[in-house]
Amino acid sequence: MTGPVPGWWGGTVHFPVPRVPPQPAPGSTGTDAGLSEELASVVAGARRRALRDGDRQIDTAHLLHSLVESEPEVRAAFGGPDQVARVLGYLVQRSIGYGLRWQATVEDSGANPVAPSARDSGQTSWSPSAAAAMLRARERAAGRGDPRAGGLDLLAELAADRHSRAVEVLVHAGVDTERLTGRIGELSQQV
């Protein structure tokens, strides 16, 4: 809750409005270079979600939540609206308490190393797994000749890290990550 709210005594209660200091995306030079406009918006949403949830770092589940909420092409990669609803339902549970066990830990699956500068700079609040997924999404886009990574690039990289929080969410929601990866490949070819 933010902003002024009427109090029971007739006065007004003021709740502080959380402020997120500007933070560069992992591997960028202070801007969201290498990200599509849509993906830059997803990153901003993940930052807000992490702050609101009281998490110390933006993790892969924050990125997944923001992707599924805001990217139509990402939702199309799932097996239909029922599967999207299950994923979002699980992510909402995480926001309202399920993820409390994650708050005191750093997400680092170790499956995908991240460049030391992105991990140790102290300027970003990204989990090593989320930073690695962002860097690999850029590399994936560059591999097909696109200068900017999009939502499907990031979704593919989130689903590839079998030990990430994003994959834990997907598996608990009943998503077959191998099938999802195949659909992402098909959709990427159509774009």
Side-chain angles (χ1 to χ4, degrees):
M1 184 177 294
T2 59
V5 176
W8 58 269
W9 64 92
T12 304
V13 178
H14 291 274
F15 292 96
V17 176
R19 302 277 182 222
V20 179
Q23 299 174 358
S28 75
T29 58
T31 66
D32 287 333
L35 301 179
S36 67
E37 188 176 315
E38 294 81 12
L39 193 52
S41 177
V42 165
V43 168
R47 272 190 199 115
R48 285 190 302 272
R49 186 171 307 291
L51 178 67
R52 187 190 64 229
D53 291 349
D55 295 330
R56 295 183 317 182
Q57 294 184 320
I58 300 165
D59 66 24
T60 59
H62 293 121
L63 289 169
L64 178 64
H65 200 157
S66 192
L67 267 175
V68 173
E69 280 187 336
S70 62
E71 287 286 310
E73 66 181 8
V74 165
R75 288 190 298 275
F78 289 92
D82 291 342
Q83 195 170 61
V84 171
R86 283 193 304 273
V87 170
L88 283 172
Y90 199 76
L91 286 162
V92 167
Q93 288 178 21
R94 182 217 185 207
S95 294
I96 60 175
Y98 152 77
L100 292 177
R101 65 187 171 90
W102 286 340
Q103 284 184 343
T105 62
V106 172
E107 178 192 31
D108 186 3
S109 68
N112 300 298
V114 64
S117 62
R119 182 191 330 214
D120 301 326
S121 69
Q123 295 179 345
T124 61
S125 59
W126 292 80
S127 75
S129 296
M134 292 294 294
L135 291 172
R136 288 189 321 272
R138 285 189 179 102
E139 291 168 359
R140 185 175 193 271
R144 69 171 185 276
D146 194 335
R148 300 196 179 274
L152 289 176
D153 296 314
L154 181 55
L155 182 61
E157 297 307 329
L158 291 174
D161 185 350
R162 302 289 182 229
H163 303 286
S164 71
R165 291 176 182 172
V167 167
E168 183 178 336
V169 167
L170 292 170
V171 168
H172 277 84
V175 175
D176 180 334
T177 56
E178 288 181 24
R179 185 179 262 173
L180 175 64
T181 302
R183 283 193 298 265
I184 293 167
E186 292 168 10
L187 288 169
S188 295
Q189 292 174 357
Q190 294 173 9
V191 176

